[in-house]
Amino acid sequence: MEKHPRETESLRPDLKVILYGVGAIGSQIARLALRKKGLKIVGAIDASPNKIGKDLGRVIGAERPLGIAVSKDSERLLSSVDADIALHATSSFLKDVYPQLTQLIKHDVNVISTCEELSYPYVVDESLAFNLDRLAKEHGVTVLGTGINPGFLMDTLPITLSGVCQEVKYIKVERVIDAAKRRLPFQKKIGAGLTPEEFKDMIKKGIITGHVGLEQSIAMIADALGLNLQRIKIEPVKPVLADKPVESREIKVDRGKVAGLTQSAYGIINGEAFVTLIFKAYIGAEEEYDSITIEGTPNINQKISPCVHGDLATAAIVINSIPKVINATPGLKTMKDLPVPSAVTKDVRCYLKEK
């Protein structure tokens, strides 16, 4: 069988990886990284007291100890190892991760982050986004925010599908998740089991935030397609009330109580929605799916059923993006700036360009 174009008998050294955040998603990413040839985990950072000082293998549920203690002192760790890339999974919000990202950049480390707002940060805080881009270029590294949503299903995938359209008149993306099949923290995050009054109170207190990333996805689509949006409209989060008793393994939802939530967002042109995104996650969804409808020439109607599993796919797209980020020019990137996403099926180093 013919070898991969860049596969040689003598490959460069393993890419040295730092894990920044080893919660549920960070642990998924770490376990996948361990299975990929060409990657070597050299450190892990987390602020949780029950993880600090423990062996990383134990923290992430690996089959064996890894001989790497989870550290809370990021500066000390970054100063003691020569890492190529950091896989970052700590927060959804740009303001929270900005100090962590700048610290990594200043240590000349490339970054792939699951921070939802980093997927297209210019609509969150243009100043912070431009500062990250400038700093990354100064230090010769690349920074990317990605994930399954935002990062792929509601932005990169519809952008890619639009490539076969002569004209585009309207885009609609809908994601429906049966939360009964997801982690308990996710079920709690969407308010499953609450009364409508409790749900409303938790929204008011900011405990339930809805889906983070709809604004970023619309902005990325608009940028890629050259759309001049008047504005992006984000609808308030709404509860999905159970019309019959439903349950997961952990939560029982009585009729009339909150099974989950729904939220919509619109990219407006000439007073009309040109891009519509609809996100629904609730216990008892009769069908899970991801659908993309493009009205244009030709029309596109794509449906993935059941929907793509968020946790597994997020870990995959982070790991699969490693060679594309390493190969990219320095700066802050979004998924629309990189080559078409693809699986890494060989040694990661086989995909690296010679520099």
Side-chain angles (χ1 to χ4, degrees):
M1 182 178 292
E2 187 177 350
K3 289 188 175 183
H4 187 282
R6 286 181 292 277
E7 188 176 359
T8 63
E9 296 299 325
S10 179
L11 291 170
R12 66 183 71 189
D14 288 342
L15 288 173
K16 296 184 286 296
V17 176
I18 283 182
L19 303 167
Y20 203 129
V22 284
I25 297 299
S27 294
Q28 283 268 10
I29 293 168
R31 291 193 295 272
L32 183 55
L34 287 172
R35 302 205 303 269
K36 291 294 181 180
K37 292 182 179 179
L39 299 181
K40 180 181 181 181
I41 299 174
V42 296
I45 301 164
D46 199 281
S48 301
N50 62 336
K51 299 173 184 176
I52 295 169
K54 293 184 178 178
D55 186 272
L56 177 63
R58 177 182 175 187
V59 170
I60 67 173
E63 297 178 353
R64 57 184 174 82
L66 299 176
I68 299 170
V70 176
S71 174
K72 69 174 180 179
D73 191 338
S74 55
E75 184 61 32
R76 183 176 180 180
L77 177 62
L78 290 168
S79 298
S80 63
V81 297
D82 182 23
D84 296 299
I85 193 162
L87 307 180
H88 177 274
T90 64
S91 172
S92 299
F93 304 105
L94 182 63
K95 63 179 178 59
D96 294 334
V97 304
Y98 182 78
Q100 299 167 355
L101 298 178
T102 55
Q103 183 185 47
L104 289 165
I105 293 168
K106 289 176 181 178
H107 280 274
D108 302 330
V109 179
N110 296 282
V111 182
I112 300 175
S113 175
T114 63
C115 173
E116 285 92 333
E117 288 189 343
L118 187 66
S119 65
Y120 200 89
Y122 302 98
V123 294
V124 182
D125 190 318
E126 199 172 65
S127 176
L128 293 185
F130 281 122
N131 283 343
L132 286 173
D133 183 55
R134 174 188 55 77
L135 193 63
K137 288 174 179 175
E138 287 177 0
H139 286 265
V141 298
T142 304
V143 178
L144 174 71
T146 192
I148 192 59
N149 182 37
F152 185 74
L153 288 171
M154 283 187 158
D155 35 57
T156 305
L157 186 54
I159 288 169
T160 303
L161 290 173
S162 75
V164 297
C165 295
Q166 295 181 8
E167 62 175 341
V168 176
K169 299 176 181 177
Y170 175 69
I171 298 173
K172 177 183 176 182
V173 186
E174 185 171 14
R175 178 162 168 81
V176 180
I177 300 171
D178 181 5
K181 301 175 183 178
R182 299 302 188 262
R183 293 175 285 114
L184 178 60
F186 179 80
Q187 295 173 26
K188 290 183 176 180
K189 184 179 178 180
I190 62 173
L194 300 177
T195 65
E197 293 75 19
E198 290 170 334
F199 183 90
K200 185 177 180 180
D201 184 58
M202 292 184 76
I203 287 286
K204 187 181 297 184
K205 292 178 179 178
I207 299 173
I208 295 176
T209 59
H211 179 65
V212 181
L214 295 176
E215 185 177 15
Q216 285 70 32
S217 291
I218 289 177
M220 192 190 304
I221 291 172
D223 192 357
L225 273 62
L227 304 176
N228 294 315
L229 298 180
Q230 289 175 310
R231 63 190 177 102
I232 297 175
K233 179 182 179 183
I234 309 295
E235 293 283 0
V237 181
K238 298 177 181 177
V240 174
L241 303 182
D243 56 9
K244 61 182 179 181
V246 293
E247 60 183 86
S248 66
R249 287 186 302 177
E250 299 89 355
I251 296 178
K252 182 177 290 187
V253 182
D254 297 327
R255 183 177 181 274
K257 286 194 173 182
V258 175
L261 56 77
T262 182
Q263 190 172 17
S264 301
Y266 309 94
I268 307 295
I269 297 178
N270 296 326
E272 300 289 337
F274 192 97
V275 180
T276 296
L277 305 183
I278 301 171
F279 177 82
K280 298 178 181 178
Y282 59 100
I283 292 175
E286 293 184 0
E287 182 186 8
E288 291 189 298
Y289 61 87
D290 296 298
S291 69
I292 299 171
T293 301
I294 302 178
E295 292 183 10
T297 307
N299 293 327
I300 304 292
N301 292 284
Q302 185 216 31
K303 187 175 185 179
I304 303 171
S305 182
C307 67
V308 177
H309 191 289
D311 290 0
L312 297 176
T314 295
I317 202 162
V318 167
I319 296 299
N320 291 333
S321 295
I322 290 174
K324 291 178 170 59
V325 166
I326 296 293
N327 289 337
T329 57
L332 174 62
K333 307 295 183 182
T334 70
M335 287 295 287
K336 74 172 185 61
D337 303 317
L338 298 182
V340 176
S342 57
V344 170
T345 60
K346 297 178 179 287
D347 188 309
V348 174
R349 296 167 295 175
C350 294
Y351 301 83
L352 302 180
K353 296 177 182 178
E354 294 296 331
K355 292 187 176 181

